[in-house]
Amino acid sequence: MALEYSDNEMMAISAGRFVKDGDIVFAGTGVSMLAATAAKRIYAPKAVIFFETGGIDPSLDEIPMAVSDLRVMSGTCLNSGLIEAFSIVGHRKLHTIAFLGAAQIDKYGNLNTTSIGDYHRPKTRFSGSGGACDVASFASGVITFMQHEKRRFVERLDYLTSVGWYKGGDSRTRLGLVRGGALAVVTNLGVMRFHDETKEMYLDEYYPGVSIEKIIENTGFEIDVSRAKQAVPPTEDELMTLRNEVDPQRLICKA
Amino acid sequence: MALEYSDNEMMAISAGRFVKDGDIVFAGTGVSMLAATAAKRIYAPKAVIFFETGGIDPSLDEIPMAVSDLRVMSGTCLNSGLIEAFSIVGHRKLHTIAFLGAAQIDKYGNLNTTSIGDYHRPKTRFSGSGGACDVASFASGVITFMQHEKRRFVERLDYLTSVGWYKGGDSRTRLGLVRGGALAVVTNLGVMRFHDETKEMYLDEYYPGVSIEKIIENTGFEIDVSRAKQAVPPTEDELMTLRNEVDPQRLICKA
Amino acid sequence: MEKLMTLDEAVRKFIKNGSQIALGGFTVMRNPMALAYEIIRQGIKDLHMVCHSHGQALDVLIGAGCVKRLEIAYGGAGRYAPTCIRFKKAIQQGDIEFEDYSNYQMSLRFLAGSLNIPFIPTKSGLGSDLLNYEGFSKEIRTERKVATKKFEIMQNPFIDDKDDVVLLPALNPDVTLIHAQYVGEDGTIRIKGLTFADIEQAKAADIVIVTCEEIVPRSYIRLDPDQNSLPPFFVDAIVKIPYGAHPTGCFAFYDYDPKHLNMYRVYANDDKKFKEYLDEWVYGIKNHEEYLNKVGSDMLMKIKANPVIGYAVGLDRR
Amino acid sequence: MEKLMTLDEAVRKFIKNGSQIALGGFTVMRNPMALAYEIIRQGIKDLHMVCHSHGQALDVLIGAGCVKRLEIAYGGAGRYAPTCIRFKKAIQQGDIEFEDYSNYQMSLRFLAGSLNIPFIPTKSGLGSDLLNYEGFSKEIRTERKVATKKFEIMQNPFIDDKDDVVLLPALNPDVTLIHAQYVGEDGTIRIKGLTFADIEQAKAADIVIVTCEEIVPRSYIRLDPDQNSLPPFFVDAIVKIPYGAHPTGCFAFYDYDPKHLNMYRVYANDDKKFKEYLDEWVYGIKNHEEYLNKVGSDMLMKIKANPVIGYAVGLDRR
């Protein structure tokens, strides 16, 4: 009988499966940290996890609660700083995968982490870009974690903090961003990807127990579901690694 | 009875006397190394000697033979690199004095360390700018060491590697170089300085045993000697410090 | 060491109403907290903060009403406050003037300031609203230490094809505040663990104030100068104040204090309770010994870092 | 460690006729000499060298006819050759294409390359002939890896008054050659003493080859990662070759070899003798053990650095 698992666990494992051996993985806080660590421990042992703060390949015996956590500086191959970290994200000889979170996303995978409402006097203010805009500009691919809600999957962002496929088609390249773009969106309901040509979001996988209709209802724009398939649930091995090795204190797994 | 001393010793001491306590002193190779170290040991104990290679405030128990010598990295407060070093030279909160050498100099203290003859197919090629052009652009003041010869003190440089007072007057500032300029020229015959307004070179001091006429003869442009006075010869204390502490192996003092 | 002074002296001497301030550290790490508290106690107003990703120190300063103007990439304290609470309220209420940049953009602006160049190019932000919205008004842009433009887009002059490049204006703050692990008796600074943008911020500033955990002999700090972070001549004031970054962490010395950060979140969420927090933890504190007593030896032991591993192994961080 | 290979393999795999090469080290320090000798032995031609201040490795490569094109700030070997001799001859005889920059300019160009930005501004060089003469012809400027312009002067867009700024094109060499003291078994690089522009040069390059004195356990190199210089993923080939920088120095391992540098000067000054030098010290050398035997244990002991002080105390350096 399959084990029970939390949303965060399903999301971490769905995202982790995108990481290839040898990838350089840029991790943020929360689920993103879980996913990056899980990826390295389960699928891609030669992947290197690093943080915008400058910590490269830490031992991660305990899960960090912030990208500046002391745990991102322990057992690393190098402790540097922000400028070093961002120049790694964009380095042409590295294949870099970035995990980001956002408050809003549009159908081209553009992200808002700045504010809702008028920019100068917002209804809700968020943390701001941090390194998200930079990473979205430079990484080989971005995987975004979202709570799947209509108010978050929107036709038009209140503020475009981080560029995904911009206005679709080749508009991202025409901006002068030579590589990268939105690779996938991993939510509490499923996994979305982007059409090769139009760069529009489509449903790739829905989680066991989630209906396609529920995803359509919770998406604020029209989404192609014609290619949707059910996701493979986390295996016992994956879950055990996640719980025993990645987040033994269950700080993030639980949610 | 006064001690005998070499040209290099007289030059090192003449130049060293310009350094004030707290100055940050940029030293090159040769006499410049001798002068900087002498200045710190004799006149300005709180001066900090540093090198374009990034070595800051080394112990200098032995005199370096190159700015990349291992001796510029030993006992320092910081070992960094070229970019760090050049950003120190130009830092607005620091008073930086630079010692340079050159193959040619003009009456405005502009320097040539690149070549003689046609630039593309020179009669004589020298080492090139190295950090000289940068230091001349950024330091609070430059002191240049020269062999005093007519072919070196020229009306027109074959190549202007490092800007002194440029074309005189306020032409240096108008280039966009906000501070600095040529402070003095120290040769084997005497010490030259620059007129406050016109920025033309004048003879400030001639060494004991050197005639003003000899200096005029060996200068390839007209030089104002109306304010010239005889230099104070090195004291026994100065010479002893130079020989026993600065250059105990007599690697540079001797010449 | 003539630059050694008390917290009170350092702040009084170098920070004025209206000063432009950069903070060392990052979200919950090595924030110059003791300096932030002293700024609040001295009633300094109208600060212009220039920040990449900041958390605790920035939020307390904003909450205490010291900040008028803010350039920032990120206001958050990790999982303890994904968006800093007083920062969020201040912007939503229109209490402060603010301008958004990204982390790399802000770091590059400090780098440009440290290199003494007027601007620096990047491709980061092309297509984003960071380059569509200006937070500062035209009036603000005429003021001291405010860039005349948020950015400039230009064509790369080294290639013929269309190639847009963003130029970012350099930052040269009046004062940079850093908390470091070690200062040598010669004034040399050594930061352990990640340095974030501390080095660039320090070199870009007119004045640098460093608080530290320990002052160590010259012979120690100069034995391996490859490890050092800043030469003495960039530093204007040094204050020894152990646990000067609490409740944020300090690598190899102490972890962040989860209990305090959780408590802070609760207090910061309520205007009245936030005043109580300031009274209790800032205004009511006579000296640093009293502050550490309030934290309690029990918690100081819990957050004490394993000096080899660098953090407090097994600390309850919920 | 899969990147570990022999000198022969590393050069054969990554360096081609016409490659653009950056050298680590500076004049007489940490020159990648073993790599330079191997390049000569493999008969590689038409190299495009991009250098700040270089000495021994550059001069040998030029003398052996491997270099077609050179961008450089300084060619010298301290007091042993204030101007590098084969470099001087090659320029005076019109044997190589060359372009002059300053040290800061070249370092900034590598920095720009490492930051992945197309150019970087500076004020250095305003008024100098570095900005009046171009060494490269228009034809050369159309070639691969050559900047389309030596520089561009623009008005600072952030102020209204006239304010000229020099834009320098980024450098991204095909290969950067570094000699380091330590490489961890995980591939992490640690350089001791000054790093010059090695880090920027490595990060700017497509390929990085590192020779090293010692390979050390992962547990050692990761105990204090603040001291490390480059993460493994920037490095493509690692070769263990003790004394791989001889006759230049390597901080904390060995001093420069004054006898060899003086001997080199004499040989380099005479075309025929220089051929003898190459035959004896490069072409005729079967392996590195033979090279070290030629240097002699007597000299190896003399130049051995005091590991605490970093250099060979009292070495006769005349």
Side-chain angles (χ1 to χ4, degrees):
Chain A
M1 205 199 81
L3 284 170
E4 295 279 310
Y5 48 87
S6 70
D7 282 355
N8 276 356
E9 287 172 335
M10 181 72 219
M11 289 167 76
I13 284 166
S14 296
R17 290 169 178 165
F18 281 92
V19 177
K20 307 253 181 319
D21 227 5
D23 280 355
I24 313 291
V25 184
F26 176 98
T29 39
V31 186
S32 134
M33 199 85 78
L34 206 61
T37 317
K40 185 172 167 69
R41 305 252 172 166
I42 304 171
Y43 321 103
K46 286 186 186 163
V48 174
I49 300 174
F50 84 108
F51 298 88
E52 63 184 292
T53 45
I56 304 171
D57 200 22
S59 56
L60 296 179
D61 295 321
E62 292 188 6
I63 200 153
M65 299 290 266
V67 296
S68 69
D69 197 305
L70 300 93
R71 288 151 192 82
V72 311
M73 331 178 184
S74 183
T76 59
C77 68
L78 192 74
N79 282 335
S80 57
L82 273 68
I83 286 173
E84 168 112 356
F86 289 112
S87 65
I88 288 172
V89 179
H91 203 286
R92 71 204 174 289
K93 77 190 256 188
L94 306 174
H95 191 257
T96 53
I97 294 293
F99 290 129
L100 297 176
Q104 285 184 331
I105 190 167
D106 69 15
K107 66 177 169 183
Y108 295 118
N110 302 302
L111 308 176
N112 174 12
T113 53
T114 302
S115 53
I116 302 287
D118 174 60
Y119 170 67
H120 295 91
R121 191 66 187 271
K123 191 170 149 289
T124 310
R125 170 72 203 203
F126 303 114
S127 53
S129 160
C133 169
D134 310 306
V135 161
S137 301
F138 298 137
S140 312
V142 169
I143 296 170
T144 306
F145 293 102
M146 297 288 301
Q147 286 303 307
H148 212 135
E149 299 169 21
K150 206 161 190 151
R151 62 182 184 120
R152 296 179 183 275
F153 282 67
V154 296
E155 197 68 56
R156 197 184 148 75
L157 303 175
D158 285 58
Y159 186 99
L160 195 172
T161 314
S162 305
V163 172
W165 294 114
Y166 196 46
K167 298 177 178 174
D170 65 350
S171 62
R172 177 186 169 90
T173 322
R174 279 190 284 111
L175 281 174
L177 302 175
V178 292
R179 72 174 191 182
L183 192 60
V185 184
V186 175
T187 78
N188 51 321
L189 302 181
V191 176
M192 271 49 60
R193 303 192 67 169
F194 296 84
H195 187 278
D196 279 352
E197 309 258 295
T198 66
K199 305 301 184 190
E200 282 185 34
M201 196 187 289
Y202 67 88
L203 179 63
D204 186 41
E205 294 185 347
Y206 49 95
Y207 296 152
V210 173
S211 70
I212 292 181
E213 289 65 37
K214 187 171 180 191
I215 289 173
I216 293 174
E217 270 166 36
N218 283 284
T219 304
F221 47 82
E222 224 172 293
I223 185 163
D224 174 12
V225 298
S226 62
R227 278 173 284 178
K229 53 191 180 295
Q230 198 182 55
V232 179
T235 65
E236 192 173 324
D237 267 8
E238 286 172 329
L239 282 175
M240 286 303 104
T241 305
L242 208 55
R243 290 172 190 175
N244 299 335
E245 293 180 32
V246 176
D247 184 15
Q249 297 165 302
R250 309 291 313 273
L251 292 168
I252 301 171
C253 276
K254 263 191 179 163
Chain B
M1 208 200 80
L3 285 169
E4 294 280 309
Y5 48 86
S6 71
D7 281 355
N8 276 358
E9 286 172 335
M10 182 73 220
M11 288 168 76
I13 284 167
S14 296
R17 288 169 180 166
F18 280 92
V19 178
K20 306 253 178 321
D21 227 5
D23 280 355
I24 313 292
V25 183
F26 176 100
T29 39
V31 186
S32 136
M33 199 85 78
L34 205 62
T37 317
K40 185 172 168 69
R41 305 253 171 164
I42 304 172
Y43 321 103
K46 286 184 186 164
V48 173
I49 299 174
F50 84 109
F51 297 87
E52 65 183 292
T53 45
I56 305 171
D57 200 22
S59 56
L60 296 180
D61 295 321
E62 291 187 6
I63 201 153
M65 298 290 267
V67 295
S68 69
D69 196 303
L70 301 94
R71 288 151 191 82
V72 310
M73 332 179 182
S74 182
T76 59
C77 67
L78 193 73
N79 281 336
S80 56
L82 273 67
I83 286 173
E84 168 110 358
F86 288 112
S87 66
I88 288 172
V89 179
H91 203 287
R92 70 204 174 291
K93 78 190 257 187
L94 306 175
H95 191 258
T96 52
I97 294 293
F99 289 129
L100 297 176
Q104 283 184 331
I105 190 167
D106 69 13
K107 67 177 168 182
Y108 295 119
N110 302 302
L111 308 176
N112 175 12
T113 53
T114 302
S115 54
I116 301 288
D118 174 59
Y119 170 66
H120 296 90
R121 190 69 187 269
K123 191 169 148 289
T124 310
R125 170 72 202 202
F126 305 114
S127 54
S129 161
C133 169
D134 311 305
V135 161
S137 300
F138 297 138
S140 312
V142 169
I143 295 171
T144 305
F145 292 101
M146 297 288 301
Q147 288 301 309
H148 212 135
E149 299 169 20
K150 206 160 190 152
R151 63 183 185 122
R152 295 180 184 274
F153 281 68
V154 294
E155 198 69 55
R156 197 184 149 75
L157 302 175
D158 285 59
Y159 187 97
L160 196 171
T161 314
S162 306
V163 172
W165 294 114
Y166 196 46
K167 295 176 179 174
D170 65 350
S171 62
R172 177 186 169 90
T173 320
R174 280 191 284 110
L175 282 174
L177 302 175
V178 292
R179 71 173 190 184
L183 192 58
V185 184
V186 175
T187 77
N188 52 320
L189 300 181
V191 176
M192 271 49 59
R193 302 192 67 170
F194 295 85
H195 186 278
D196 279 352
E197 310 258 295
T198 66
K199 306 299 185 192
E200 282 183 32
M201 196 188 289
Y202 67 87
L203 179 64
D204 186 41
E205 293 185 349
Y206 49 95
Y207 297 152
V210 173
S211 70
I212 293 181
E213 288 65 36
K214 184 167 182 194
I215 290 173
I216 293 173
E217 271 166 34
N218 283 284
T219 304
F221 47 81
E222 224 171 295
I223 186 163
D224 173 12
V225 297
S226 62
R227 280 173 283 178
K229 53 190 180 295
Q230 198 183 52
V232 178
T235 65
E236 191 172 328
D237 267 9
E238 286 172 330
L239 282 175
M240 287 302 106
T241 306
L242 207 57
R243 291 172 189 176
N244 299 334
E245 294 180 30
V246 176
D247 184 15
Q249 296 166 302
R250 309 292 312 273
L251 293 168
I252 301 171
C253 276
K254 264 193 181 161
Chain C
M1 196 168 38
E2 64 211 31
K3 291 169 185 170
L4 202 62
M5 52 187 87
T6 65
L7 212 49
D8 174 82
E9 286 169 331
V11 171
R12 205 169 297 280
K13 186 165 177 189
F14 292 116
I15 304 180
K16 312 286 173 215
N17 290 342
S19 288
Q20 189 181 76
I21 308 279
L23 299 171
F26 194 101
T27 63
V28 294
M29 197 54 46
R30 275 197 306 95
N31 282 212
M33 295 307 301
L35 283 165
Y37 296 147
E38 183 60 26
I39 288 170
I40 296 171
R41 277 191 293 266
Q42 291 191 16
I44 293 168
K45 300 289 175 201
D46 298 334
L47 295 178
H48 177 171
M49 306 300 295
V50 283
C51 297
H52 46 79
S53 285
H54 279 88
Q56 201 59 19
L58 175 68
D59 206 50
V60 176
L61 285 168
I62 291 175
C66 303
V67 178
K68 179 184 184 187
R69 194 169 288 164
L70 175 61
E71 298 181 48
I72 191 165
Y74 189 89
R79 298 290 280 173
Y80 301 99
T83 301
C84 278
I85 297 161
R86 306 306 308 184
F87 156 78
K88 183 190 192 91
K89 279 183 194 284
I91 289 190
Q92 291 176 183
Q93 293 167 9
D95 292 343
I96 51 174
E97 302 158 358
F98 66 95
E99 184 74 277
D100 277 280
Y101 285 95
S102 72
N103 264 347
Y104 195 33
Q105 288 173 345
M106 287 302 286
S107 308
L108 287 172
R109 295 181 67 199
F110 287 119
L111 176 64
S114 78
L115 294 177
N116 209 21
I117 57 180
F119 55 84
I120 191 159
T122 181
K123 293 239 165 195
S124 189
L126 286 168
S128 84
D129 281 343
L130 290 169
L131 305 185
N132 288 324
Y133 291 95
E134 293 220 17
F136 288 168
S137 67
K138 276 190 189 139
E139 292 69 47
I140 296 175
R141 294 223 164 270
T142 63
E143 289 187 29
R144 184 185 156 271
K145 294 255 176 190
V146 180
T148 54
K149 300 175 187 174
K150 187 178 182 187
F151 63 90
E152 172 89 2
I153 292 183
M154 77 176 281
Q155 163 68 26
N156 174 1
F158 295 96
I159 66 175
D160 290 334
D161 297 339
K162 181 176 179 296
D163 188 34
D164 281 344
V165 181
V166 183
L167 304 184
L168 300 166
L171 275 167
N172 288 111
D174 291 317
V175 190
T176 288
L177 311 179
I178 305 265
H179 185 73
Q181 283 89 346
Y182 298 108
V183 175
E185 276 174 348
D186 63 347
T188 300
I189 310 300
R190 180 180 295 181
I191 295 171
K192 293 304 294 176
L194 297 176
T195 51
F196 309 119
D198 288 19
I199 314 293
E200 291 83 7
Q201 288 174 307
K203 289 201 240 167
D206 291 333
I207 295 291
V208 177
I209 304 178
V210 176
T211 56
C212 69
E213 294 294 322
E214 285 290 0
I215 291 182
V216 296
R218 190 183 193 278
S219 58
Y220 175 81
I221 208 100
R222 293 206 174 211
L223 186 61
D224 189 2
D226 300 5
Q227 295 189 46
N228 295 338
S229 311
L230 281 173
F233 49 71
F234 280 129
V235 180
D236 302 277
I238 294 164
V239 184
K240 182 182 169 182
I241 189 146
Y243 288 90
H246 179 274
T248 70
C250 186
F251 189 73
F253 279 76
Y254 45 92
D255 222 310
Y256 46 86
D257 180 342
K259 189 175 146 222
H260 195 108
L261 293 173
N262 280 322
M263 185 256 294
Y264 179 86
R265 184 179 57 242
V266 173
Y267 279 74
N269 259 316
D270 177 313
D271 289 357
K272 206 179 132 223
K273 279 180 91 79
F274 186 71
K275 283 213 177 78
E276 288 170 30
Y277 176 88
L278 289 181
D279 282 340
E280 189 175 341
W281 288 94
V282 184
Y283 293 117
I285 298 287
K286 274 195 289 294
N287 54 46
H288 196 60
E289 289 67 39
E290 192 181 317
Y291 180 89
L292 293 183
N293 270 335
K294 272 189 71 69
V295 176
S297 58
D298 181 43
M299 182 52 75
L300 293 182
M301 284 312 294
K302 278 185 185 152
I303 61 174
K304 184 181 169 298
N306 178 311
V308 175
I309 297 175
Y311 57 83
V313 177
L315 174 67
D316 182 354
R317 292 178 291 138
R318 282 168 303 185
Chain D
M1 196 166 37
E2 64 211 31
K3 291 169 186 170
L4 202 60
M5 52 186 86
T6 65
L7 211 49
D8 175 82
E9 285 169 331
V11 171
R12 205 168 297 279
K13 187 165 176 190
F14 293 116
I15 304 180
K16 313 283 170 216
N17 290 343
S19 288
Q20 190 180 74
I21 308 278
L23 300 170
F26 194 103
T27 60
V28 294
M29 197 54 45
R30 275 198 305 93
N31 282 213
M33 295 307 303
L35 283 166
Y37 295 146
E38 183 60 26
I39 289 171
I40 296 171
R41 277 191 292 265
Q42 291 193 14
I44 294 170
K45 299 287 175 204
D46 297 334
L47 295 177
H48 176 171
M49 307 300 295
V50 283
C51 298
H52 44 79
S53 285
H54 279 87
Q56 201 60 18
L58 175 68
D59 206 50
V60 176
L61 285 168
I62 292 176
C66 303
V67 178
K68 178 183 184 186
R69 193 170 287 165
L70 175 62
E71 299 181 47
I72 192 164
Y74 189 90
R79 297 289 280 174
Y80 301 98
T83 301
C84 278
I85 296 159
R86 305 306 307 184
F87 155 78
K88 185 190 191 89
K89 279 184 194 285
I91 289 190
Q92 290 176 181
Q93 293 167 7
D95 292 342
I96 52 175
E97 303 158 357
F98 65 95
E99 184 73 278
D100 277 281
Y101 285 96
S102 71
N103 264 346
Y104 195 33
Q105 288 174 344
M106 287 301 287
S107 308
L108 287 171
R109 294 181 68 198
F110 287 119
L111 176 64
S114 79
L115 295 175
N116 209 21
I117 57 180
F119 55 85
I120 191 158
T122 182
K123 293 240 165 195
S124 189
L126 286 169
S128 83
D129 281 343
L130 290 169
L131 306 184
N132 287 325
Y133 290 94
E134 295 218 17
F136 288 168
S137 66
K138 277 192 186 136
E139 293 68 47
I140 297 176
R141 294 221 163 271
T142 63
E143 289 188 29
R144 183 184 158 273
K145 295 256 177 188
V146 180
T148 55
K149 299 175 190 176
K150 186 179 183 186
F151 62 90
E152 170 88 3
I153 291 183
M154 77 177 279
Q155 162 69 24
N156 174 2
F158 294 97
I159 66 174
D160 290 335
D161 296 338
K162 179 175 181 297
D163 188 34
D164 281 344
V165 182
V166 183
L167 305 184
L168 300 166
L171 275 169
N172 288 112
D174 291 317
V175 190
T176 288
L177 312 179
I178 305 266
H179 185 73
Q181 283 88 346
Y182 298 109
V183 175
E185 276 174 347
D186 63 346
T188 301
I189 310 300
R190 181 179 295 179
I191 295 171
K192 294 303 295 176
L194 297 176
T195 51
F196 309 119
D198 288 17
I199 314 293
E200 292 81 9
Q201 287 174 310
K203 289 201 239 167
D206 291 334
I207 295 290
V208 177
I209 303 177
V210 176
T211 55
C212 69
E213 294 294 322
E214 284 290 358
I215 292 183
V216 296
R218 190 183 192 278
S219 58
Y220 175 80
I221 207 103
R222 293 208 175 211
L223 186 62
D224 189 2
D226 300 5
Q227 295 188 47
N228 295 338
S229 311
L230 280 173
F233 50 71
F234 281 129
V235 180
D236 302 277
I238 293 165
V239 184
K240 183 181 168 182
I241 189 144
Y243 287 90
H246 179 274
T248 70
C250 185
F251 189 73
F253 279 77
Y254 46 91
D255 222 311
Y256 45 87
D257 180 341
K259 189 176 145 221
H260 195 106
L261 293 173
N262 280 323
M263 184 255 294
Y264 179 86
R265 186 182 53 244
V266 174
Y267 279 74
N269 260 317
D270 178 311
D271 289 357
K272 205 178 134 222
K273 280 179 91 78
F274 186 71
K275 283 213 179 81
E276 289 170 28
Y277 177 89
L278 288 181
D279 283 339
E280 186 174 346
W281 287 93
V282 183
Y283 295 116
I285 298 287
K286 273 196 289 294
N287 53 45
H288 196 58
E289 288 66 38
E290 191 180 318
Y291 180 88
L292 294 183
N293 270 336
K294 273 189 68 70
V295 177
S297 58
D298 180 43
M299 182 52 75
L300 293 181
M301 284 313 294
K302 277 186 188 153
I303 61 173
K304 185 180 168 298
N306 177 313
V308 175
I309 296 174
Y311 57 84
V313 178
L315 173 67
D316 181 353
R317 294 179 289 136
R318 282 167 301 183

